[in-house]
Amino acid sequence: MSDLLNSKKPSLIGEWVRYFFSSKLACIGFAIAVLLLLGAVFAPWLTPQNPYDLLQLDILDSRLPPGSRNGMDTFTYWLGTDGQGRDLYSAILYGLRISLIVGLGSALIAGTVGTVIGVIAAYFGGRVDATIMRIIDLILSFPTILVAMMILAYLGKGIGNVILTLAILEWAYYARTARGQALSERQKEYVEAARNLDISNWRIMWRHILPNCLPPIIVIGTLQIARAITLEATLSFLGLGVPVTEPSLGLLISNGYQFMLSGQYWISFLPGVALLLTIMSLNLVGDRLRDTFNPRGQQ
């Protein structure tokens, strides 16, 4: 009897954590994502230069190779400099901060709006569901880059405008996922029991159905953050994203693209490596989360 009392059934969250970290690729992706996030958050304390402060830039130090000393001989450009004299190591960490802000901000807004709309569509069904789904199909039918370019051409450059544009384009993915999960939850006995107890529809949706829809939403959110960073980098590369004075990774790649054939590869190549690591790590984490929350994926 004492053995039965002392033995505790492992919690569901504990099982998820153990399964997630049982994959070496997931551990590598998670470690890289955490390191990049910490580097972006603590960039002012980890870098010798603020690349957004024009007073700290020296045009005479432009396009210096990795390992060069700055003009004042006070620190070393370990990753070289770009065409504006920015320390690439500093610019990459600051640019990573911009990219993560755009990715996380757009995912948060799109996830909130899309999840709410998806749950409403699934719960009420009928014309409400049909109307919302036709709107979602219409949004998903347009080329993402083309629509983003049109919106930003009207709104103009800026971090806030990029976040808003990506949120407008991404909420439909969350809505479709939330609707599918909510449709499954709506048929379960606890929802019928709540209706028989005369609990309001809004309370059933947000207190009972929504929490059970969160696991797939979290998975979609992780993958959509990586997608948002990719879209932002593409828009910045095309000159429609963030301002030139606050370059993200995409704009850093664009600034060095013209020097690739002249042998000054580091200006574009190193920010590209940072962007690749960011997207790869987030995709590895998202893929493992999908398997973790899916019982069939654990078999």
Side-chain angles (χ1 to χ4, degrees):
M1 180 65 69
S2 60
D3 293 338
L4 293 176
L5 294 176
N6 292 331
S7 61
K8 295 182 179 180
K9 184 179 180 180
S11 64
L12 183 59
I13 296 179
E15 292 180 357
W16 284 344
V17 172
R18 281 190 292 272
Y19 181 79
F20 179 87
F21 288 105
S22 64
S23 170
K24 292 183 179 180
L25 285 177
C27 292
I28 294 173
F30 182 80
I32 294 175
V34 170
L35 288 176
L36 293 175
L37 179 60
L38 291 176
V41 171
F42 296 103
W45 295 274
L46 298 175
T47 56
Q49 179 192 84
N50 182 356
Y52 300 158
D53 186 358
L54 299 180
L55 296 178
Q56 297 186 26
L57 305 183
D58 188 353
I59 193 64
L60 297 178
D61 288 345
S62 63
R63 302 196 297 275
L64 294 178
S68 302
R69 298 287 294 179
N70 71 322
M72 302 296 293
D73 200 29
T74 55
F75 63 90
T76 301
Y77 297 122
W78 295 111
L79 299 182
T81 62
D82 64 2
Q84 287 73 41
R86 295 188 184 95
D87 173 36
L88 268 183
Y89 166 66
S90 304
I92 287 174
L93 288 187
Y94 275 82
L96 181 61
R97 171 184 285 190
I98 298 297
S99 298
L100 289 176
I101 288 175
V102 171
L104 293 172
S106 61
L108 180 61
I109 297 174
T112 302
V113 174
T115 301
V116 170
I117 292 176
V119 172
I120 291 175
Y123 187 81
F124 289 102
R127 293 183 178 179
V128 174
D129 184 28
T131 302
I132 292 176
M133 289 308 299
R134 297 296 76 76
I135 295 175
I136 291 175
D137 293 338
L138 179 64
I139 292 175
L140 297 179
S141 65
F142 288 105
T144 303
I145 292 294
L146 178 61
V147 176
M149 292 174 61
M150 294 173 58
I151 296 176
L152 285 174
Y154 175 77
L155 296 178
K157 296 181 180 180
I159 297 176
N161 291 339
V162 175
I163 292 176
L164 178 61
T165 299
L166 295 180
I168 293 174
L169 297 174
E170 289 183 346
W171 71 266
Y173 295 96
Y174 294 92
R176 174 173 287 183
T177 302
R179 173 185 176 271
Q181 187 68 19
L183 282 174
S184 176
E185 295 295 325
R186 191 185 65 175
Q187 307 299 326
K188 295 185 178 180
E189 295 180 355
Y190 73 89
V191 174
E192 187 65 28
R195 288 173 175 170
N196 293 333
L197 293 174
D198 201 21
I199 298 177
S200 65
N201 290 330
W202 294 104
R203 186 175 180 183
I204 294 175
M205 283 190 291
W206 311 131
R207 294 291 298 275
H208 300 281
I209 295 179
L210 179 60
N212 294 306
C213 298
L214 290 181
I217 296 299
I218 294 174
V219 175
I220 291 296
T222 305
L223 298 175
Q224 287 299 112
I225 290 174
R227 183 173 184 269
I229 293 175
T230 305
L231 290 174
E232 182 277 325
T234 303
L235 293 171
S236 296
F237 184 87
L238 297 174
L240 294 172
V242 297
V244 178
T245 55
E246 297 182 356
S248 64
L249 294 179
L251 191 55
L252 290 175
I253 297 172
S254 177
N255 290 339
Y257 182 73
Q258 57 183 324
F259 303 112
M260 287 290 290
L261 298 180
S262 63
Q264 298 165 343
Y265 64 91
W266 61 87
I267 302 176
S268 186
F269 176 74
L270 295 179
V273 171
L275 179 63
L276 177 63
L277 288 175
T278 303
I279 296 173
M280 180 193 70
S281 62
L282 291 175
N283 282 328
L284 287 175
V285 172
D287 288 341
R288 190 59 176 177
L289 285 176
R290 179 175 55 195
D291 294 338
T292 301
F293 293 139
N294 182 11
R296 294 180 180 178
Q298 301 183 22
Q299 296 178 357

